């Protein structure tokens, strides 16, 4: 490309009028798409495409040295739509990914264009203010007291790591941040055997090793009993580990079970441990008067994470790491970066980079703050109730059917179940569920996932899409029966 062509391309690329036209055309296209997805006129949730085939198809179209120009935008993005999973389709019942409020997506467009990172105040003044207001509102709503505070970060995995780094700094009895892991007793955390894998990953990143994650056994209802906490602590002692934190799940990923936070809090207090709650999915339950009792004990937490991209209809990622004492939020990354930050970290709450791993940081609070402005906090509490109620109805439908069984009564909007056509032997159940799930994926008619519980492979749904009707759930059951019959016929 010669200089003249470059100049011309640049002019076109930044021309406000071009942007206006592209944005109008794109929002028109996306509004049509939403209409098709929401009304189920899109005939699949996910186009069946094998990963290598998709890769090879795109590999045939090498990245051009001279682009196709502005006109290529819509045809190209239309193709992207076709190959994407459609989370607004009522038949999307898979992982804990929301059907985002469209207006939140518009806020993301604005965030991207403004590109106000938030690590440094000047680079994102309002993002830092909105983040602080959101975190304080969440902490106070959870009952964590007047000194609550924290920081927004990119996702629950990062949030859990951030909180556990604070826990180690405050409770391990050694300054690992500055002095390293040398000369300390090997450290450990305790967490339920149902915890999300990111907790163990965080612990390993922190150098605790496999032995530094002491799993607390859960019972058949996926609950922690106080004796199991004692047993895990004894196990830590046997391994010569110094436990500095105990982590509670609210709720668990696999089955949506809220752990006994009160028992965990009491244990943490008795042994002077940090009490962290992984509320990535379930923290917004506090917004529902009907269900907030499930979080009893959370008010004793030293830290908790709250993902708004799960139960608050936000696009990814918007995570709050909330501390009982906002001063603890400065513990995880207390390293000086003189070219960015100058004073006493605590006096400079407005540089969120002091308290997160991110340096360049996405302007993530805008969408949540805006949506709360538009719809109010009560709207989000009602959303929780709507989803939990529908999941309870789905459980009732499954239990009433002679050929379905649920793993455990759902406490949230996550449900695990199995199809058991009459006469199916126990030893054939896993194969049958695996077959059903892979056939569902092949057809693209629904999107659900599978998980392995101690009793075997289960089908797993998360009811996060408020556009789903009970009739869709009946249709899903019928479809599963059809796919199950296929397998039985094949075996005969
Ligand atoms: C309980 C729990 N914690 C943490 C995470 C990780 O959150 P993220 O995907 O935002 O990193 C998840 C994700 O599903 C989760 O369910």
């Amino acid at each position: 490309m010669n200089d003249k062509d470059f100049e011309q391309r640049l002019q076109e690329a930044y021309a406000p009028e071009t942007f206006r036209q592209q944005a109008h055309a794109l929002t028109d296209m996306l509004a049509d798409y939403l209409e098709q997805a929401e009304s189920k006129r899109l005939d699949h949730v996910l186009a069946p495409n094998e990963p290598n085939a998709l890769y090879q198809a795109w590999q045939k179209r090498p990245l051009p040295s001279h682009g196709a120009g502005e006109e290529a935008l819509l045809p190209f993005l239309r193709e992207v739509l076709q190959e994407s999973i459609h989370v607004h389709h009522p038949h999307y019942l898979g992982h804990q990914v929301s059907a985002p409020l469209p207006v939140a997506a518009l806020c993301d467009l604005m965030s991207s264009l403004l590109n106000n990172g938030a690590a440094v105040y000047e680079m994102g003044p309002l993002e830092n203010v909105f983040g602080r207001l959101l975190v304080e509102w969440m902490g106070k709503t959870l009952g964590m007291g007047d000194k609550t505070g924290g920081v927004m970060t990119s996702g629950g995995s990062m949030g859990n790591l951030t909180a556990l780094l604070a826990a180690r700094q405050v409770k391990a009895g050694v300054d690992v941040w500055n002095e390293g892991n040398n000369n300390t007793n090997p450290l450990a955390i305790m967490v339920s055997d149902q915890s999300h894998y990111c907790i163990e990953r965080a612990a390993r990143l922190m150098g605790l090793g496999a032995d530094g994650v002491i799993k607390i056994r859960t019972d058949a209802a996926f609950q922690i009993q106080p004796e199991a906490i004692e047993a895990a602590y004894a196990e830590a002692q046997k391994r010569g580990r110094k436990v500095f934190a105990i982590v509670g799940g609210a709720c668990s990923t696999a089955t949506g079970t809220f752990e006994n936070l009160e028992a965990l809090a009491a244990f943490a207090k008795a042994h002077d441990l940090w009490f962290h709650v992984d509320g990535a999915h379930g923290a917004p339950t506090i917004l529902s008067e009907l269900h907030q009792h499930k979080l009893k004990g959370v008010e004793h937490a030293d830290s908790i994470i709250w993902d708004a991209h799960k139960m608050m209809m936000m696009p990814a990622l918007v995570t709050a790491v909330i501390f009982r004492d906002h001063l603890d939020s400065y513990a995880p990354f207390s390293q000086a970066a003189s070219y960015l930050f100058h004073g006493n970290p605590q006096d400079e709450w407005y540089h969120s980079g002091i308290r997160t791993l991110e340096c360049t940081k996405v302007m993530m609070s805008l969408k949540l703050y805006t949506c709360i402005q538009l719809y109010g906090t009560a709207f989000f509490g009602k959303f929780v109730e709507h989803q939990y109620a529908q999941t309870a109805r789905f459980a009732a439908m499954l239990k009433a059917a002679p050929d379905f069984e649920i793993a455990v009564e759902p406490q949230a909007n996550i449900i695990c179940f199995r199809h058991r056509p009459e006469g199916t032997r126990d030893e054939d159940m896993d194969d049958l569920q695996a077959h059903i799930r892979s056939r569902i994926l092949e057809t693209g008619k629904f999107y659900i996932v599978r998980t392995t519980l101690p009793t075997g492979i289960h089908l797993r749904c998360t009811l996060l899409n408020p556009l789903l009707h009970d009739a869709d759930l009946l249709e899903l059951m019928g479809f599963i029966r059809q796919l199950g019959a296929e397998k039985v016929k094949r075996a005969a």
Side-chain angles (χ1 to χ4, degrees):
M1 177 177 281
N2 61 34
D3 289 353
K4 200 164 147 257
D5 288 347
F6 174 66
E7 273 305 318
Q8 195 185 336
R9 267 283 146 92
L10 213 52
Q11 296 281 334
E12 278 168 21
Y14 279 95
E17 201 44 42
T18 313
F19 174 66
R20 190 191 312 282
Q21 284 168 16
Q22 287 173 331
H24 279 298
L26 179 58
T27 41
D28 276 348
M29 183 179 104
L30 289 177
D32 289 345
Y33 161 75
L34 265 184
E35 201 191 357
Q36 286 179 2
E38 291 177 10
S39 64
K40 296 185 276 187
R41 268 189 286 121
L42 267 183
D43 62 1
H44 59 269
V45 187
L46 172 64
N49 241 331
E50 196 272 320
N52 287 323
L54 191 59
Y55 168 70
Q56 279 150 13
W58 282 87
Q59 200 186 28
K60 289 195 189 114
R61 297 157 61 171
L63 290 169
S65 80
H66 287 66
E70 311 291 345
E71 307 75 55
L73 178 72
L74 281 206
F76 172 70
L77 292 183
R78 213 167 268 130
E79 283 189 78
V80 172
L81 268 187
Q82 272 162 17
E83 302 297 353
S84 299
I85 190 158
H86 307 303
V87 293
H88 289 90
H89 194 300
H91 289 182
Y92 173 88
L93 294 122
H95 294 288
Q96 299 142 278
V97 171
S98 71
L101 290 166
V103 74
L106 292 180
C107 293
D108 266 355
L109 170 65
M110 185 155 167
S111 291
S112 288
L113 191 82
L114 292 178
N115 203 19
N116 277 207
V120 178
Y121 176 72
E122 294 92 22
M123 292 304 297
L126 256 191
E127 177 61 19
N128 278 292
V129 168
F130 286 166
R132 176 172 177 177
L133 289 168
L134 287 169
V135 169
E136 287 176 353
W137 164 68
M138 290 168 178
K140 286 190 181 132
T141 308
L142 287 162
M144 292 171 82
D146 288 339
K147 289 204 304 184
T148 188
V151 71
M152 305 299 289
T153 195
S154 296
S157 306
M158 186 91 93
N160 281 323
L161 173 65
T162 306
L164 289 174
L165 283 167
R168 183 173 66 180
Q169 215 39 25
V170 175
K171 290 288 186 193
V174 277
D175 183 359
V176 179
W177 180 255
N178 286 306
E179 292 162 22
N181 261 329
N182 309 332
N183 305 322
T184 70
N185 284 336
L187 298 171
I189 60 165
M190 283 165 51
V191 63
S192 112
D193 60 12
Q194 292 300 306
S195 64
H196 190 264
Y197 74 86
C198 71
I199 300 282
E200 178 161 349
R201 185 173 281 189
R204 287 174 183 247
L205 278 170
M206 289 164 65
L208 305 188
D211 258 12
V213 183
I214 318 282
K215 296 274 170 74
I216 308 169
R217 213 174 8 85
T218 52
D219 61 17
F222 304 98
Q223 277 295 350
I224 287 176
Q225 298 302 334
E227 320 76 80
I229 311 178
E230 295 288 352
Y233 198 62
E235 172 65 25
Q237 239 104 66
K238 210 167 84 191
R239 294 188 203 169
R241 293 275 171 163
K242 175 177 166 51
V243 178
F244 63 90
I246 187 162
V247 181
C251 51
S252 68
T253 307
T255 58
T257 307
F258 287 83
E259 281 166 9
N260 185 342
L261 300 184
E262 281 200 303
L264 293 167
F267 190 86
K269 189 164 180 224
H271 295 267
D272 192 27
L273 308 177
W274 182 278
F275 178 35
H276 173 64
V277 175
D278 180 355
H281 188 96
T285 306
I286 205 73
L287 302 175
S288 153
E289 277 181 29
L290 259 182
H291 295 284
Q292 56 190 203
H293 64 93
K294 295 174 181 168
L295 286 166
K296 206 155 186 292
V298 74
E299 63 281 8
H300 304 301
D302 294 296
S303 58
I304 174 169
I305 65 151
W306 172 321
D307 280 358
H309 52 275
K310 293 189 169 65
M311 286 300 288
M312 290 185 83
M313 295 170 274
M314 289 296 114
L317 296 157
V318 205
T319 296
V321 195
I322 310 154
F323 294 84
R324 156 185 307 293
D325 182 343
H326 68 107
L327 292 179
D328 288 336
S329 67
Y330 298 90
F333 310 101
S334 47
Q335 160 196 27
S338 57
Y339 55 95
L340 292 177
F341 319 116
H342 310 289
N344 176 6
Q346 284 133 40
D347 297 336
E348 299 196 348
W349 62 266
Y350 41 80
H351 297 314
S352 73
I354 296 172
R355 299 188 274 175
T356 66
L357 189 62
E358 300 117 305
C359 178
T360 306
K361 194 167 167 219
V362 172
M363 191 178 181
M364 64 182 76
S365 304
L366 175 68
K367 53 192 161 191
L368 180 58
Y369 199 82
T370 307
C371 286
I372 294 178
Q373 291 286 343
L374 297 190
Y375 304 119
T377 55
F379 175 71
F380 293 94
K382 269 284 175 209
F383 170 73
V384 169
E385 284 171 15
H386 184 265
Q387 299 316 113
Y388 287 15
Q390 191 173 43
T391 311
R393 291 197 300 278
F394 187 28
M397 284 153 66
L398 291 165
K399 284 193 298 183
D403 52 349
F404 283 94
E405 56 196 34
I406 61 171
V408 62
E409 204 63 50
Q411 294 182 357
N413 53 335
I414 298 173
I415 182 163
C416 294
F417 61 96
R418 299 198 288 186
H419 177 42
R420 187 190 283 272
E422 202 189 340
T424 312
R425 296 175 313 174
D426 281 347
E427 58 267 39
D428 295 331
M429 283 292 278
D430 276 2
D431 271 359
L432 179 62
Q433 314 314 310
H435 166 83
I436 290 168
R437 149 76 181 159
S438 57
R439 287 285 294 127
I440 288 180
L441 211 56
E442 275 166 29
T443 65
K445 233 171 113 51
F446 282 87
Y447 183 76
I448 70 170
V449 293
R450 55 175 261 196
T451 193
T452 304
L453 300 175
T455 44
I457 296 178
H458 282 70
L459 302 171
R460 175 174 171 270
C461 290
T462 308
L463 278 62
L464 256 181
N465 187 337
L467 308 169
L468 169 80
H469 293 290
D470 290 8
D472 296 304
L473 295 167
L474 275 174
E475 195 182 328
L476 172 64
M477 289 168 68
F479 192 49
I480 289 174
R481 283 188 178 112
Q482 190 187 316
L483 299 174
E486 222 179 64
K487 167 98 175 147
V488 172
K489 215 184 284 163
R490 234 185 269 167

